[in-house]
Amino acid sequence: MAHASDGRSMEFKLPDLGEGLTEAEIVRWLVEVGDVVAVDQPVVEVETAKAMVEVPCPYGGVVTARFGEEGTELPVGAPLVTVAVGEGEATAGGPAREPGAGDGAAPTPPADPPAAEPKPEGSGNVLVGYGTSEAPARRRRVRPDRPAATGASGRANGRVRAAEPVGGAVGTAEPLDGPVPVISPLVRRLARQHDLDLRELTGSGPDGLILRADVEYALRAAAAQGGRTADREAGAGGAPAGAAAPAASPSDGTRVPLKGVRGAVADKLSRSRREIPDATCWVDADATELMRARTAMNASGGPKISLVALLARICTAALARFPELNSTVDTEAREIVRLDGVHLGFAAQTDRGLVVPVVRDAHARDAESLTAEFARLTEAARVGRLTPGELTGGTFTLNNYGVFGVDGSTPIINHPEAAMLGVGRIVPKPWVHDGELAVRQVVQLSLTFDHRVCDGGTAGGFLRYVADCVEQPAVLLRTL
């Protein structure tokens, strides 16, 4: 469809990408100056503190300028590109008709618009306040069943809307061709990936804004009726890691900016240390029987079961017995909030730093499902394609630092969670087994916990149960 072309040059600014982020770094430009872009076409890939995101442009036309080189960090609201709207689409779809231009006939009165009226150059649904709206203050909640207040045709966020009758009974309401009130492109991407029409949703945010929670609820409802299963997003999270190196002095080193993933890690760890009075306990366990059980599972055919999936299954069983550790502290209300579901984070090392993807509803998954989800999230982390929703909302973290060849650690808790289970390397060691000295596969387990949510007895009980399951996997049968 050809859009009107009046020679205007529209400036598209870096939008609010959600999650309270205030800046993003340009990773890769997806268009060049002079390229023709379509409405909603991604024009740049940026890295926030939580994910890599392709940003779509709400205008169609020819790119006339780009702002910022790759590697440049831009604040939200800074210009990204300018687009000569309509030019590219007019070329592709034929000469565009100017608004008001006619063929000699008298102009159509506003109350009786033509059957097919040209739409403005932008989609109107990419970003509230950044898209094609004439005035951000005119944002309104889109209600398909709400009659219009005037008989004249008008605009809503830049979208032309046909007139509706004034007064009298109104028949079955047709959905308005108005803008979809969505701020974050991430919300739109989630809906697009699952073929969800955002116009069918009613937003729960301010002014009817559609939030991730609204999309997730719709996807869960569809899954309950036999539809697709969607990954769910919520909350806020980060990545546990060791403390950053001391800042170099101006005269004897190189300064490395704390930004992106590393900056988010630094902020998260600092906050955790300030707010959480943590403590750590640990125990050695004989993992020989667990390793044999895994070997037997994988020898029976079917998908291979990973060791981390078995450890995760042990974690969820332990949290069911000791729910105090699946909680968070509301400091303002001075309350401990015990959480119903277990959203299990796990540490994953990537080229861009340590991240903590989250396995949603880990308590409801079996070993095969956990294995598949760990593999999917690990691959997404490796290529830098984790979404903010896959990096946030964890309630408990499993840290398998044994992959680095170390036995133990006292990690920093992933705020605002209350505990983290650490697993060291599994190595042959002398061990007394059945009253005799033998070489067994031994692992060190550690639990770092928030002392506000429980005392040492609870933490020790949790860790002892985990160790018992590692040493005798049959213990899990009691809870299956």
Side-chain angles (χ1 to χ4, degrees):
M1 178 184 294
H3 288 184
S5 176
D6 57 5
R8 288 185 299 163
S9 183
M10 305 297 292
E11 184 179 81
F12 175 49
K13 300 178 181 179
L14 178 65
D16 177 1
L17 299 172
E19 297 292 329
L21 303 174
T22 59
E23 58 194 14
E25 179 180 334
I26 297 174
V27 175
R28 180 168 59 101
W29 283 105
L30 305 178
V31 295
E32 301 286 345
V33 173
D35 285 355
V36 177
V37 296
V39 173
D40 289 353
Q41 177 179 333
V43 294
V44 65
E45 184 178 50
V46 300
E47 180 181 14
T48 70
K50 299 187 177 180
M52 302 272 279
V53 179
E54 290 183 354
V55 181
C57 178
Y59 307 115
V62 178
V63 177
T64 58
R66 300 187 321 192
F67 298 92
E69 299 297 326
E70 293 179 357
T72 303
E73 193 170 82
L74 298 178
V76 169
L80 275 177
V81 295
T82 55
V83 179
V85 295
E87 292 184 7
E89 295 200 359
T91 301
R97 180 172 179 175
E98 287 285 303
D103 54 5
T108 304
D112 187 18
E117 196 170 0
K119 296 181 181 179
E121 294 81 354
S123 67
N125 64 357
V126 175
L127 301 158
V128 176
Y130 285 95
T132 58
S133 62
E134 292 181 337
R138 294 174 61 105
R139 290 201 304 249
R140 296 195 182 278
R141 187 168 186 164
V142 178
R143 292 180 182 270
D145 58 348
R146 185 176 181 178
T150 175
S153 63
R155 290 178 179 267
N157 284 350
R159 297 295 293 262
V160 179
R161 187 172 63 191
E164 297 185 22
V166 178
V170 180
T172 303
E174 294 292 331
L176 297 180
D177 186 22
V180 179
V182 178
I183 284 182
S184 173
L186 305 177
V187 175
R188 297 183 65 255
R189 178 194 290 180
L190 179 63
R192 186 166 58 249
Q193 287 174 342
H194 295 88
D195 298 325
L196 179 65
D197 187 355
L198 289 172
R199 286 182 173 81
E200 297 178 355
L201 304 185
T202 299
S204 61
D207 296 323
L209 203 63
I210 296 177
L211 308 177
R212 288 199 312 274
D214 301 321
V215 176
E216 293 167 1
Y217 180 84
L219 294 175
R220 288 197 301 271
Q225 298 171 0
R228 296 172 295 276
T229 301
D231 293 331
R232 293 179 292 177
E233 311 171 350
S249 67
S251 61
D252 62 358
T254 301
R255 289 181 176 267
V256 178
L258 276 174
K259 62 180 183 179
V261 173
R262 175 50 54 188
V265 168
D267 294 340
K268 183 69 68 174
L269 299 181
S270 298
R271 182 176 182 183
S272 180
R273 273 290 187 239
R274 285 195 308 268
E275 294 186 10
I276 299 178
D278 59 349
T280 301
C281 54
W282 56 89
V283 65
D284 289 339
D286 180 2
T288 305
E289 297 303 322
L290 180 66
M291 302 299 286
R292 288 176 178 170
R294 176 173 175 260
T295 300
M297 291 178 189
N298 292 337
S300 63
K304 300 296 184 182
I305 304 299
S306 68
L307 179 61
V308 70
L310 295 179
L311 293 170
R313 185 65 188 86
I314 292 172
C315 271
T316 58
L319 289 172
R321 281 175 162 256
F322 300 92
E324 297 91 337
L325 294 168
N326 192 54
S327 62
T328 187
V329 176
D330 185 339
T331 54
E332 292 185 1
R334 293 185 62 81
E335 293 177 338
I336 297 172
V337 182
R338 292 185 182 173
L339 305 169
D340 295 330
V342 178
H343 304 312
L344 187 66
F346 67 98
Q349 188 69 42
T350 72
D351 293 338
R352 291 166 38 243
L354 187 66
V355 295
V356 184
V358 177
V359 176
R360 304 286 169 183
D361 296 318
H363 62 286
R365 296 176 182 264
D366 59 18
E368 286 189 3
S369 174
L370 288 168
T371 297
E373 187 67 355
F374 277 125
R376 185 189 72 81
L377 291 172
T378 299
E379 177 60 18
R382 187 185 66 80
V383 299
R385 294 298 180 187
L386 288 170
T387 66
E390 292 168 335
L391 287 166
T392 58
T395 64
F396 186 92
T397 295
L398 174 62
N399 189 354
N400 183 20
Y401 44 74
V403 297
F404 302 119
V406 299
D407 295 323
S409 174
T410 55
I412 300 175
I413 294 175
N414 188 18
H415 185 280
E417 297 171 14
M420 177 187 298
L421 178 67
V423 182
R425 59 176 180 163
I426 301 176
V427 293
K429 288 185 178 181
W431 189 268
V432 176
H433 177 68
D434 290 338
E436 296 182 356
L437 188 63
V439 176
R440 305 286 285 182
Q441 300 294 320
V442 179
V443 61
Q444 184 181 101
L445 305 171
S446 66
L447 177 70
T448 300
F449 64 99
D450 185 341
H451 228 311
R452 295 173 299 178
V453 304
C454 69
D455 296 324
T458 299
F462 173 93
L463 188 58
R464 186 63 256 170
Y465 179 79
V466 170
D468 289 344
C469 291
V470 168
E471 294 185 338
Q472 303 178 52
V475 172
L476 275 177
L477 294 176
R478 295 176 61 90
T479 60
L480 294 180

